[in-house]
Amino acid sequence: MKSVLRNLLLSLAVATSAAWADATDDLSKQLQPLAALSGNFKQTLIDERGKVTQESNGNFSVQRPGKLRWKTGEPYAQLLVTNNKTLWLYDPDLEQVTVRPVDTRIKETPALLLGGKVEEIRKSFDVNLKDGVYHLTPKNPKAPFKAMEIHFAKDGLPDSMTVRDGMGQTTKIKFSGMKANPKLSDSIFNFKPPAGTDIIKDE
């Protein structure tokens, strides 16, 4: 009986591992043709009780590997820019920018997944596919989020993302006006703080 149970558990483990591998391959195939993306987004933050606490709109551009410009509009204007070496987080209301080097944790952020190296997905995430939605769980326990879901539209472009953090909060991102492989200038992935901006270096 123990031998049967052991074999059953082993079979389930192998089957689960194979399912993750297949889902990872599928997600990689979805992202591989997208060397660059740009579009608009609506972002909704929901607390642990299911209450909407914040809504905002914005636009973004992302280019592989690891380049991102994510601009959120009112009422909580912010600009996040990275050139894959340095990350700038600019708050125009506070006239303040935080500057820090790009590390592994930053590369695991949801937005950068769209512009990261496809081959790193397998190394960083367990991936499962259910009802057309990719479910990603970071392998790093110190990752900036606990779980993420990605859904693609029929045209093969990302349609929406859902991100769940360790505090029970959920961020839902709905994309629109998506463009595949637009021509993007390197200059948009660098940031020069406006005169008078307080610069905070986070090493």
Side-chain angles (χ1 to χ4, degrees):
M1 181 68 180
K2 289 183 180 179
S3 178
V4 172
L5 181 59
R6 187 187 309 113
N7 291 337
L8 176 61
L9 291 174
L10 180 59
S11 297
L12 286 173
V14 172
T16 301
S17 177
W20 275 341
D22 290 344
T24 303
D25 289 342
D26 286 345
L27 180 56
S28 296
K29 289 176 182 177
Q30 291 272 21
L31 294 174
Q32 187 66 55
L34 304 176
L37 275 172
S38 66
N40 305 312
F41 64 86
K42 179 179 180 180
Q43 187 169 289
T44 303
L45 181 63
I46 303 170
D47 67 16
E48 67 279 5
R49 294 169 294 181
K51 180 181 178 181
V52 174
T53 59
Q54 183 179 316
E55 290 184 320
S56 57
N57 296 283
N59 57 75
F60 79 99
S61 297
V62 61
Q63 182 172 285
R64 193 179 301 142
K67 296 179 180 179
L68 173 68
R69 183 181 184 89
W70 187 274
K71 185 177 182 180
T72 306
E74 300 294 341
Y76 304 102
Q78 274 193 335
L79 175 63
L80 184 150
V81 179
T82 178
N83 58 10
N84 201 30
K85 294 181 180 179
T86 302
L87 181 142
W88 298 267
L89 181 58
Y90 175 57
D91 189 318
D93 292 332
L94 297 177
E95 296 184 324
Q96 175 179 295
V97 61
T98 301
V99 185
R100 63 176 300 178
V102 170
D103 58 17
T104 301
R105 287 190 65 201
I106 293 175
K107 291 182 178 181
E108 291 173 350
T109 56
L112 273 177
L113 177 68
L114 300 177
K117 293 181 178 179
V118 174
E119 60 269 20
E120 291 184 352
I121 293 177
R122 191 182 308 278
K123 182 174 66 176
S124 300
F125 302 97
D126 288 325
V127 184
N128 194 10
L129 178 60
K130 183 178 181 181
D131 297 329
V133 178
Y134 293 94
H135 299 260
L136 289 83
T137 304
K139 294 181 179 180
N140 180 2
K142 295 182 179 180
F145 66 97
K146 296 299 181 182
M148 177 172 62
E149 300 166 8
I150 304 177
H151 179 258
F152 288 81
K154 291 181 179 179
D155 60 6
L157 298 179
D159 176 70
S160 62
M161 296 176 70
T162 300
V163 183
R164 309 181 198 283
D165 66 21
M167 300 175 64
Q169 296 184 120
T170 300
T171 301
K172 293 189 175 182
I173 302 170
K174 177 65 175 178
F175 297 112
S176 62
M178 297 286 277
K179 296 180 181 179
N181 299 316
K183 292 184 178 180
L184 301 173
S185 171
D186 283 342
S187 64
I188 69 171
F189 300 113
N190 288 283
F191 181 73
K192 183 177 180 180
T197 299
D198 290 331
I199 299 176
I200 301 173
K201 292 188 176 182
D202 184 357
E203 302 296 339

